[in-house]
Amino acid sequence: MCTIGPYYFWPAGNIIGLVLSILLLLVTCNFALASYSKTSKTINSHILNYSGTNIKETAAKTRELISKQVEIFSNLLPLPSVQSLNNLDKVLKQPRLLTNKPVLVMSILLAMVACIAMFSAQLWDIAISECDEERTCPFNQDPEDTFARPVLHGIVGYRVSDRKIIILVSTPIAFLLCTTLLLLMRGTTVLRMILSGLISLGMGVFFFLYSLNTVQYIILLGTKLSNLSFILKLVSMMPIPLLAALFVALAYSNIIQSMEEKKDDKSSKVKIGLLSISIILSIVFFFLSLATMTTSNLVIMSTVQGHWNTTKEHTWDDECRDNNHVRYNEYDYRYDTTSTSDPESKPDKCYGKALDQLVQDDFTFFSICQLFMTETFLVLSALVCMNGRSITKKTLFLPGLLLFAAAVSSIISFFSGLVQYDLQTNGFPFFIMNGINTLSALVIGFIFVITGGSVFISFIIIVFRIILSILVFSLILIMTTFDLLLKLATLTCKT
């Protein structure tokens, strides 16, 4: 029933409903006021067999039950004590010795060199990019048919041309933060290592998210580019996965080493030999992953280029439509004609072919899976070199799990989408390198998951404790509310 509008628009049903609603509201208020005066008698009624003494005893038992529940909650989810917080300043100022500090410094210097190369290549590319014969392209524009898509729905950036300003802003900031990381390594303490870990983690997450965009930019590059422009675009985008892996490895290494004190080295010759072999294998897999990622991107880019030659289709432009097409109110109609006149010549743009979305999705899915596997391999390899003797099975569980998942997803993406295309390998050992890299990731990831399985069990126990703690905390809230009601009833009995 609607009562909106002038009263003379109201039908009879609306008026009757409104009157009945007002009467029902008045009757409800009357009963509520009448029952309020009988509340205390109802609590002490003989029907419920309750007295003021019984209410006090019940309240005492309720408070005892609440205290036991609080004790159970503290045992399930132990919280830091006040004394430990008093010593927090001393703990944060404790000195720490970095394991393999030269490797950490070299990693930061490598990241700084990559930032300089990306910044310089992007500036050079902007300087030589020409949208027409009279002017260079602005920041928000690329030359025609440079990429298969002008817009990509990525996490960082929307238009493909946004990469210019993102690279020109992010690389100087990363360079300055790398300088800060080098300064934090002088006189390392727990607080400095935690701060270094947070800075590295922030940069690593940013470059990882942006690498999901850049790998799509690379595979969607066109053929209408000069060799210099093509190389500059690759130099400005290719190092981003490397930066993401280096910063994530630095963050993980700093956090791990800040949590454990330096112990006396009592390693046997066997352990030293195994550690040396592990570091050598890590370096080999580091460069193998980089080479595989670069080769895969170039092969996929070359294959995708065979499926398009223009960013925008011009089929429905006025100069590209046939004579039997008529436009009326922005709609195109086609009619049959028996005209024998020769067809008019069309410009070259009318014969362009845009990239099909399904083809793009197949290649993008494989490229992102392969990128994730490469970055995880790089993080794992850098972590082994950075931590050295301080690395444990537990610290390798998370990278191993991610590596195993990335390898499985790469296999699925290849056989579900990429296997149906004729890959233009151009002499690159695409299948051999990807096969070795994927199989190694699968085996190494599985081994690390098995050896570090205790971490997974501990994680499950922590989750179970948190769930039980939430249930106990909810019960504490319910019992506390019940205790307050009992106290209220006790005060009502006294009055």
Side-chain angles (χ1 to χ4, degrees):
M1 295 183 298
C2 180
T3 59
I4 299 176
Y7 64 90
Y8 49 82
F9 285 161
W10 289 7
N14 287 21
I15 298 173
I16 295 173
L18 180 61
V19 173
L20 291 177
S21 299
I22 294 173
L23 291 175
L24 181 61
L25 182 62
L26 292 174
V27 171
T28 304
C29 293
N30 185 28
F31 275 107
L33 293 174
S35 61
Y36 177 75
S37 60
K38 301 178 181 179
T39 302
S40 59
K41 296 180 180 180
T42 304
I43 295 176
N44 293 322
S45 63
H46 295 287
I47 298 175
L48 296 176
N49 195 23
Y50 251 72
S51 63
T53 306
N54 291 334
I55 293 177
K56 292 180 180 179
E57 293 178 355
T58 306
K61 292 180 180 179
T62 303
R63 286 191 291 272
E64 183 180 356
L65 179 60
I66 292 174
S67 63
K68 291 181 179 179
Q69 290 172 353
V70 171
E71 184 179 356
I72 294 173
F73 179 81
S74 61
N75 291 331
L76 287 173
L77 195 65
L79 300 175
S81 61
V82 179
Q83 295 179 353
S84 61
L85 295 177
N86 292 333
N87 298 328
L88 182 61
D89 184 52
K90 296 181 179 179
V91 173
L92 293 177
K93 291 182 179 180
Q94 287 180 356
R96 287 286 189 271
L97 293 177
L98 291 173
T99 305
N100 294 343
K101 187 175 180 179
V103 179
L104 297 174
V105 174
M106 289 179 60
S107 301
I108 297 175
L109 293 177
L110 179 60
M112 296 173 72
V113 171
C115 290
I116 295 174
M118 291 170 57
F119 183 83
S120 304
Q122 187 60 67
L123 277 182
W124 195 352
D125 184 42
I126 293 173
I128 66 172
S129 296
E130 295 182 355
C131 290
D132 51 44
E133 297 180 357
E134 298 180 355
R135 63 186 181 90
T136 59
C137 291
F139 277 93
N140 59 349
Q141 190 177 354
D142 284 306
E144 188 177 359
D145 299 335
T146 301
F147 296 93
R149 290 278 189 268
V151 173
L152 289 176
H153 299 283
I155 300 176
V156 181
Y158 178 67
R159 297 173 301 180
V160 178
S161 58
D162 292 340
R163 76 188 188 283
K164 301 177 184 179
I165 189 66
I166 292 175
I167 292 175
L168 293 178
V169 171
S170 62
T171 48
I173 294 175
F175 185 87
L176 294 177
L177 291 176
C178 287
T179 307
T180 305
L181 292 177
L182 291 175
L183 295 176
L184 287 174
M185 287 186 178
R186 300 178 58 185
T188 53
T189 60
V190 176
L191 180 60
R192 283 172 173 261
M193 295 183 71
I194 293 175
L195 184 59
S196 300
L198 293 177
I199 294 174
S200 302
L201 182 62
M203 290 192 292
V205 171
F206 170 77
F207 282 112
F208 168 73
L209 295 177
Y210 192 53
S211 66
L212 300 178
N213 288 20
T214 54
V215 69
Q216 299 179 65
Y217 300 159
I218 292 172
I219 66 175
L220 296 180
L221 272 173
T223 57
K224 300 177 182 180
L225 296 172
S226 63
N227 292 332
L228 179 59
S229 179
F230 177 76
I231 293 173
L232 290 176
K233 284 180 172 58
L234 290 183
V235 173
S236 64
M237 293 185 289
M238 277 288 191
I240 291 179
L242 175 62
L243 289 176
L246 288 176
F247 286 128
V248 171
L250 283 169
Y252 199 36
S253 177
N254 277 284
I255 293 173
I256 290 173
Q257 296 189 46
S258 65
M259 297 173 61
E260 56 184 15
E261 298 181 359
K262 185 71 175 178
K263 299 179 181 179
D264 296 335
D265 295 333
K266 296 181 180 179
S267 302
S268 60
K269 294 182 179 180
V270 177
K271 292 184 178 180
I272 295 175
L274 292 175
L275 179 62
S276 302
I277 294 174
S278 301
I279 293 176
I280 294 174
L281 290 176
S282 299
I283 296 173
V284 170
F285 282 117
F286 186 89
F287 289 102
L288 176 64
S289 300
L290 282 178
T292 303
M293 181 188 66
T294 305
T295 302
S296 298
N297 289 338
L298 294 176
V299 169
I300 292 174
M301 178 189 65
S302 178
T303 305
V304 173
Q305 286 173 352
H307 293 268
W308 72 280
N309 55 16
T310 181
T311 303
K312 179 183 177 182
E313 285 191 356
H314 301 275
T315 307
W316 299 108
D317 290 356
D318 293 335
E319 61 269 24
C320 296
R321 293 201 309 272
D322 297 328
N323 292 330
N324 56 352
H325 281 78
V326 179
R327 171 165 291 190
Y328 178 74
N329 289 339
E330 299 183 356
Y331 292 95
D332 289 283
Y333 298 94
R334 179 170 181 168
Y335 61 91
D336 295 331
T337 179
T338 58
S339 175
T340 59
S341 59
D342 296 333
E344 298 180 359
S345 60
K346 300 177 182 179
D348 293 337
K349 70 175 185 178
C350 300
Y351 302 98
K353 178 184 177 183
L355 181 63
D356 186 73
Q357 186 63 45
L358 295 178
V359 176
Q360 178 184 345
D361 292 341
D362 289 337
F363 286 101
T364 300
F365 181 39
F366 174 79
S367 299
I368 291 177
C369 293
Q370 203 260 354
L371 170 73
F372 185 57
M373 182 178 64
T374 300
E375 290 182 340
T376 310
F377 232 143
L378 294 177
V379 170
L380 184 60
S381 302
L383 190 65
V384 173
C385 296
M386 291 176 183
N387 282 33
R389 299 177 183 179
S390 62
I391 200 162
T392 60
K393 297 178 181 179
K394 295 182 179 180
T395 57
L396 294 176
F397 172 78
L398 182 59
L401 180 63
L402 295 177
L403 188 62
F404 181 79
V408 173
S409 62
S410 297
I411 294 173
I412 294 173
S413 64
F414 179 80
F415 285 100
S416 63
L418 215 65
V419 71
Q420 60 182 322
Y421 298 99
D422 183 16
L423 298 177
Q424 303 297 318
T425 56
N426 298 324
F428 290 113
F430 175 81
F431 295 102
I432 297 176
M433 295 182 68
N434 275 277
I436 295 174
N437 198 41
T438 305
L439 184 61
S440 302
L442 196 67
V443 174
I444 294 174
F446 181 75
I447 292 173
F448 287 162
V449 169
I450 295 300
T451 55
S454 59
V455 178
F456 180 73
I457 297 174
S458 302
F459 176 75
I460 295 297
I461 292 174
I462 291 173
V463 172
F464 185 67
R465 281 174 170 268
I466 291 174
I467 295 173
L468 288 180
S469 302
I470 293 173
L471 295 176
V472 173
F473 183 73
S474 302
L475 187 59
I476 290 173
L477 293 178
I478 294 172
M479 297 304 297
T480 304
T481 305
F482 183 65
D483 184 49
L484 292 175
L485 293 176
L486 290 177
K487 289 183 177 179
L488 181 62
T490 305
L491 295 175
T492 306
C493 292
K494 291 180 179 180
T495 57

